[in-house]
Amino acid sequence: MNAPTDRMASALLLPQPYVLFLGDTTVRGYAKTAFGLRDWAPEKCVGELRLPGATVTAGLDAVTAAEARARGARALVIGVANQGGVIPASWRVSLIEALEAGLDLIAGMHMRLSDIPELVEAARRLGRQLIDVRVPPRQIPVGTGRKRSGKRLLTVGTDCALGKKYTALALFRAFERRGIAADFRASGQTGIMIAGGGIPMDAVVSDFEAGAAELLSPDADADHWDIIEGQGALTHPAYAAVSLGLLHGSQPDVFVVCHEPGRTEMLGMPGFPVTSVEEITELTTRLGRRTNPAIRCGGYAFNTAAMTDDAAAELMAKESRRLGLPVADPMRGGPAFEALVASCLSAD
Amino acid sequence: MNAPTDRMASALLLPQPYVLFLGDTTVRGYAKTAFGLRDWAPEKCVGELRLPGATVTAGLDAVTAAEARARGARALVIGVANQGGVIPASWRVSLIEALEAGLDLIAGMHMRLSDIPELVEAARRLGRQLIDVRVPPRQIPVGTGRKRSGKRLLTVGTDCALGKKYTALALFRAFERRGIAADFRASGQTGIMIAGGGIPMDAVVSDFEAGAAELLSPDADADHWDIIEGQGALTHPAYAAVSLGLLHGSQPDVFVVCHEPGRTEMLGMPGFPVTSVEEITELTTRLGRRTNPAIRCGGYAFNTAAMTDDAAAELMAKESRRLGLPVADPMRGGPAFEALVASCLSAD
């Protein structure tokens, strides 16, 4: 969340601040990227741009492209997805107007900006960039396993889509509040837009997966922390390759296991139970030791959004006693979360 | 090694038989692909094509492109690498002559055939294919973890480059000799040329790694075996992502651990000791159980090329007693190897 530094030179860097493009969207669920940016990087958003017919808002000032530029925006971020991840023809006039107003375009959808000839032509004519954050940097080196300076924390999980990004962001904020030098290192598209840089780890060719993770969290000062957004799960039948490459290349000193109580089956993976937090803790320690023999679990981040306050507090207290480490919901904060932060920072 | 079947329809398929192109090579070490094809797929090689100045031979009949075509060849395989993996200008006339003679071109070098405009133009004009085997198929699906019919054996290793491909090929041959329906499933460039198909697993985007492995060994008859060429090692600091995706997607019933006694440090990875065979056995069993709960270790394949016969035999006998499973060098064969084959085939 800091301004991109030289240390990120090899990873993707995004022009900021942004104006959030919401298109003509009427379905809130499609605007996750816009909401993520509003929640985690409001200081980087100068306003929102909606088309006639849109009913969804991120609650920011409504602006035109020219107004956004006048407010300092350097890029328009497509903050909504459509069914199928396409960029509909009805948006194109507005996107070209944004290029003409002096804004670059940023998208993280399946359909690439650079695959739309009208946009490519306009960007070329106007000297503007089309940035698809799902495209990893070129010429990623093979991993070396070399121990890098600085400290690293990686969020891992018992499944996909249960809070690894939010946990990393909350820990990063908590570290900053304590005056600790830290960077949030994004490994997925929304995280990259929030951070203004990062590497889409799931889009990297597998031979270079660990090398990309090494690039993502480069050498740093001895007391600096990189808080790295995790991906997938080591036991995920489809995505474990991403998780293991990211673990090896991140060589974390500390990891936090993210979990959603009550989720019994992996998302979209019928027949595959969610792995237990103990199993993920043990596998992460065992496999992570390869590139950092000092790796340890700092605690557990539970996503209790679906639970009442009392039920969540009771469950987390019970699980903390059982597991012998702090268990907290980063979105709820409070003493449990402060205990988790302290545990991550404690030198064993 | 069987003729490509419909079941491989989504993976890469190569036109066969081949003529092996040796260029003007004078360094034997650069001709590994040609030697691998001669050793493992001689029935697919109608001859070799050398340029003036070449001193290296694979020992096949010297032919021209037209003669190769007359002998039934459908493709010319570039069987040599150069320093840097480039395709030198001095080869291009011959390669275009091959296209004109009716042959497709196949290469597995870093430099792609499709990046050489003269070849692209000639292939288009003549209606021929340029096939870069390092390019994975398009539109690989995400893995599902669905249990497929048929049986699968995967070779795994304590490091790279110590015999996973040769072990898989030797086991495949042994299964065939016993009258067992089997396919060799290639996951690397030389293996793909030998098999005539396969997927270059190290070139697949990591999100699709397990999905690619699922594609590589599709549903088959209940008593059919896929013998799958392994890649990397689960503890390799650079390449473990490839190994884990391949393990999950292959869902092997049996794995064989490949190891080179005396190798203490991972190849090109200073400071990283080779993992013990016990550790690889345990990790493979534990992680592989996710997609095949019945996974088991069939035994060990030692690469003893650097040892005397007596020393190799003594070591393997000792290690077999210690590990409680057959240990054999597939290149040496003999009763130890037959015991390994029997162990792989034994229903527990």
Side-chain angles (χ1 to χ4, degrees):
Chain A
M1 316 264 287
N2 292 340
T5 64
D6 284 350
R7 289 183 287 109
M8 285 286 289
S10 305
L12 185 63
L13 290 182
L14 300 179
Q16 299 181 323
Y18 308 134
V19 56
L20 304 184
F21 182 78
L22 288 162
D24 45 8
T25 306
T26 56
V27 181
R28 286 187 62 79
Y30 286 164
K32 273 189 202 168
T33 298
F35 296 153
L37 283 165
R38 175 200 60 193
D39 292 345
W40 290 103
E43 77 285 3
K44 295 178 179 170
C45 303
V46 307
E48 65 182 41
L49 202 161
R50 287 183 285 149
L51 299 182
T55 58
V56 175
T57 171
L60 305 180
D61 295 348
V63 292
T64 65
E67 287 163 357
R69 185 72 193 88
R71 290 181 177 209
R74 292 181 55 213
L76 177 148
V77 169
I78 297 185
V80 282
N82 261 22
Q83 193 85 40
V86 301
I87 297 169
S90 60
W91 296 1
R92 295 185 191 176
V93 171
S94 300
L95 298 179
I96 290 170
E97 278 174 8
L99 292 168
E100 286 168 344
L103 299 169
D104 294 329
L105 301 185
I106 300 173
M109 303 166 86
H110 278 294
M111 184 176 187
R112 295 183 182 180
L113 294 167
S114 58
D115 287 339
I116 302 173
E118 304 148 72
L119 297 183
V120 171
E121 194 282 318
R124 188 178 299 137
R125 175 167 53 86
L126 298 160
R128 301 254 58 88
Q129 301 182 78
L130 303 180
I131 303 172
D132 290 292
V133 302
R134 284 200 174 205
V135 180
R138 284 169 173 273
Q139 311 224 304
I140 296 171
V142 160
T144 66
R146 180 183 65 81
K147 184 82 177 77
R148 302 187 297 285
S149 55
K151 297 181 182 195
R152 286 166 189 83
L153 184 154
L154 175 69
T155 55
V156 302
T158 58
D159 190 8
C160 292
L162 43 65
K164 287 185 287 285
K165 176 174 69 256
Y166 272 43
T167 298
L169 284 162
L171 288 168
F172 165 71
R173 286 278 170 82
F175 278 40
E176 278 210 319
R177 275 198 304 274
R178 294 182 178 219
I180 294 161
D183 278 297
F184 167 68
R185 299 299 187 184
S187 60
Q189 52 176 334
T190 302
I192 290 170
M193 290 183 186
I194 292 169
I199 298 178
M201 292 296 297
D202 62 359
V204 172
V205 166
S206 50
D207 227 17
F208 302 98
E209 187 70 4
E214 294 182 0
L215 207 62
L216 182 63
S217 70
D219 282 299
D221 293 340
D223 59 352
H224 175 278
W225 282 84
D226 268 343
I227 313 294
I228 306 162
E229 175 193 3
Q231 293 291 333
L234 288 170
T235 54
H236 197 288
Y239 304 130
V242 182
S243 310
L244 183 55
L246 184 53
L247 173 61
H248 274 159
S250 296
Q251 50 184 228
D253 302 281
V254 175
F255 63 92
V256 171
V257 179
C258 303
H259 179 65
E260 183 180 329
R263 191 187 294 189
T264 53
E265 196 169 71
M266 279 187 163
L267 214 61
M269 288 283 146
F272 286 95
V274 168
T275 309
S276 71
V277 291
E278 296 94 318
E279 173 77 0
I280 292 296
T281 304
E282 203 185 318
L283 278 177
T284 305
T285 307
R286 185 163 178 176
L287 292 163
R289 214 172 260 155
R290 184 62 172 167
T291 55
N292 189 344
I295 189 171
R296 67 182 173 87
C297 181
Y300 299 87
F302 279 18
N303 179 340
T304 63
M307 302 175 75
T308 65
D309 292 356
D310 286 351
E314 191 182 336
L315 174 74
M316 291 194 286
K318 193 180 115 198
E319 285 292 277
S320 178
R321 284 192 300 273
R322 187 174 71 84
L323 296 162
L325 282 169
V327 178
D329 184 333
M331 295 300 97
R332 292 179 184 269
F337 183 62
E338 292 309 312
L340 175 60
V341 174
S343 169
C344 291
L345 286 167
S346 71
D348 274 2
Chain B
M1 317 265 285
N2 292 339
T5 64
D6 283 351
R7 289 183 287 109
M8 286 285 288
S10 304
L12 185 62
L13 289 183
L14 300 178
Q16 297 179 326
Y18 308 135
V19 55
L20 304 184
F21 182 76
L22 288 161
D24 45 7
T25 305
T26 56
V27 181
R28 286 187 63 80
Y30 286 164
K32 273 190 203 167
T33 297
F35 296 153
L37 283 166
R38 175 201 60 194
D39 291 346
W40 290 102
E43 76 286 3
K44 295 178 179 170
C45 303
V46 307
E48 64 182 41
L49 201 162
R50 287 183 285 151
L51 299 182
T55 58
V56 176
T57 171
L60 306 180
D61 294 348
V63 292
T64 65
E67 287 163 357
R69 186 72 194 91
R71 289 181 178 209
R74 292 181 55 212
L76 177 148
V77 169
I78 298 185
V80 282
N82 261 22
Q83 193 84 41
V86 301
I87 296 168
S90 61
W91 296 1
R92 295 184 191 176
V93 171
S94 300
L95 297 180
I96 290 171
E97 279 173 9
L99 291 168
E100 286 168 344
L103 299 169
D104 295 329
L105 301 186
I106 300 173
M109 305 167 85
H110 279 294
M111 183 174 188
R112 293 183 183 181
L113 294 167
S114 58
D115 287 339
I116 302 174
E118 303 149 72
L119 297 183
V120 172
E121 194 281 319
R124 189 177 299 136
R125 176 167 52 87
L126 298 160
R128 301 255 58 87
Q129 300 183 77
L130 303 181
I131 303 172
D132 290 291
V133 300
R134 284 198 174 206
V135 179
R138 284 169 172 272
Q139 310 223 305
I140 296 171
V142 161
T144 66
R146 180 183 66 79
K147 184 81 178 76
R148 302 188 296 286
S149 55
K151 296 180 183 197
R152 286 166 188 83
L153 183 154
L154 175 69
T155 55
V156 302
T158 58
D159 190 9
C160 292
L162 43 64
K164 288 184 285 288
K165 175 174 68 256
Y166 272 41
T167 297
L169 284 162
L171 287 168
F172 165 72
R173 287 278 170 82
F175 279 40
E176 280 210 319
R177 275 198 304 275
R178 293 182 178 219
I180 295 161
D183 277 296
F184 167 68
R185 299 299 186 183
S187 61
Q189 52 177 332
T190 302
I192 290 169
M193 290 182 186
I194 292 169
I199 298 178
M201 291 297 296
D202 63 359
V204 172
V205 166
S206 49
D207 226 18
F208 303 97
E209 188 70 5
E214 294 182 1
L215 208 60
L216 181 63
S217 69
D219 282 300
D221 292 341
D223 59 353
H224 175 279
W225 282 85
D226 267 344
I227 313 294
I228 305 162
E229 175 193 3
Q231 292 292 332
L234 288 171
T235 54
H236 197 289
Y239 304 129
V242 182
S243 310
L244 182 54
L246 184 54
L247 173 60
H248 274 160
S250 296
Q251 51 183 227
D253 302 281
V254 175
F255 65 91
V256 170
V257 179
C258 303
H259 178 64
E260 183 180 330
R263 191 188 293 191
T264 53
E265 197 169 69
M266 279 187 163
L267 214 61
M269 289 281 146
F272 286 95
V274 168
T275 308
S276 71
V277 291
E278 296 93 318
E279 174 77 359
I280 292 296
T281 304
E282 203 184 319
L283 278 177
T284 304
T285 306
R286 185 163 178 176
L287 292 164
R289 213 173 261 155
R290 184 62 171 167
T291 54
N292 189 344
I295 189 172
R296 66 180 173 88
C297 181
Y300 299 87
F302 279 18
N303 179 339
T304 62
M307 303 176 74
T308 64
D309 293 356
D310 285 352
E314 192 183 334
L315 174 74
M316 291 193 287
K318 194 180 113 196
E319 286 291 278
S320 178
R321 284 191 300 273
R322 187 174 71 83
L323 296 162
L325 282 169
V327 177
D329 185 334
M331 296 300 98
R332 293 179 185 270
F337 183 63
E338 292 309 312
L340 175 60
V341 173
S343 168
C344 291
L345 286 168
S346 71
D348 274 2

